[in-house]
Amino acid sequence: MKTILVIGLAIAGAIACGAQGCAQWFPDEKLTIQRTAYTGNELRIDGYYYHFPTVPGGTIIQFFYRNGIRLTGRYSGTTNLDSVDMRIPEANSDLQHDKSGWGVFLISGNSIWYEKWDTSVGGGLPVTKSFGHVLNDTTFLRMYSIANGKKFIDNEIWHFRKFSLKPDSTNRWIQ
């Protein structure tokens, strides 16, 4: 009987979300960093920064833009940066339809803070906040991140790769 009730509630919720839109019930979290133009030279922005996570594998990249916007992408199954470079233009059109991965950043001295909307399996999109240190103009250390109210010690080194075909930073979520 409990199983039937749970399934019935799940179906009713799905129908209600489809008819009315879930955003009114589960709004996306708000970014807390104000978008500010980046006029510094602490980090190069004529390409992307990459990191190879051990789990789930692949490559994570981040683009930083002069207008204070940042964009994250994940490329599963490869740590070959030439392959990642070839896949970026293919993914470019999808970026304008997906809010997750978009965010803002701020650099002050040798500190970097950034936020982005993350993926969600239900409800609104959560915001992940990260903090790190700029080591030089092509490398930074992400020390920790905060996601879903939990702090994670990351200690991830991100390296720069020059790339001229950066996706456009224009999006409908960050003004």
Side-chain angles (χ1 to χ4, degrees):
M1 182 64 173
K2 285 183 183 179
T3 303
I4 293 172
L5 180 61
V6 170
I7 292 171
L9 288 173
I11 291 171
I15 291 169
C17 277
Q20 306 246 333
C22 287
Q24 69 183 20
W25 292 345
F26 306 106
D28 297 339
E29 286 186 24
K30 303 239 185 267
L31 299 175
T32 61
I33 296 175
Q34 175 87 24
R35 184 180 66 81
T36 306
Y38 175 59
T39 59
N41 60 1
E42 295 87 354
L43 285 180
R44 289 182 59 177
I45 61 164
D46 56 332
Y48 61 82
Y49 289 82
Y50 65 91
H51 171 70
F52 303 127
T54 54
V55 177
T59 305
I60 302 173
I61 66 171
Q62 297 187 62
F63 291 101
F64 294 96
Y65 298 90
R66 283 275 172 217
N67 61 4
I69 290 178
R70 65 176 288 281
L71 176 62
T72 301
R74 178 180 298 272
Y75 295 89
S76 301
T78 186
T79 57
N80 180 316
L81 294 178
D82 290 332
S83 175
V84 170
D85 289 352
M86 291 186 332
R87 290 167 63 183
I88 290 171
E90 296 169 8
N92 197 8
S93 64
D94 294 336
L95 298 173
Q96 296 305 321
H97 304 289
D98 188 2
K99 188 175 182 179
S100 62
W102 288 100
V104 294
F105 75 100
L106 179 65
I107 296 176
S108 178
N110 70 342
S111 296
I112 181 170
W113 295 269
Y114 52 92
E115 298 179 331
K116 71 177 180 79
W117 284 287
D118 223 330
T119 57
S120 175
V121 293
L125 297 178
V127 170
T128 297
K129 305 167 193 257
S130 298
F131 173 77
H133 285 293
V134 176
L135 303 177
N136 57 54
D137 69 345
T138 60
T139 313
F140 70 91
L141 167 67
R142 183 169 86 174
M143 297 173 60
Y144 67 85
S145 56
I146 300 171
N148 298 317
K150 297 178 185 172
K151 184 176 180 178
F152 300 91
I153 304 301
D154 299 317
N155 290 323
E156 298 173 348
I157 300 287
W158 290 76
H159 299 282
F160 176 78
R161 180 168 171 97
K162 188 168 176 59
F163 185 73
S164 61
L165 299 174
K166 286 173 64 168
D168 187 351
S169 68
T170 305
N171 67 80
R172 60 181 180 210
W173 302 288
I174 303 171
Q175 304 304 318

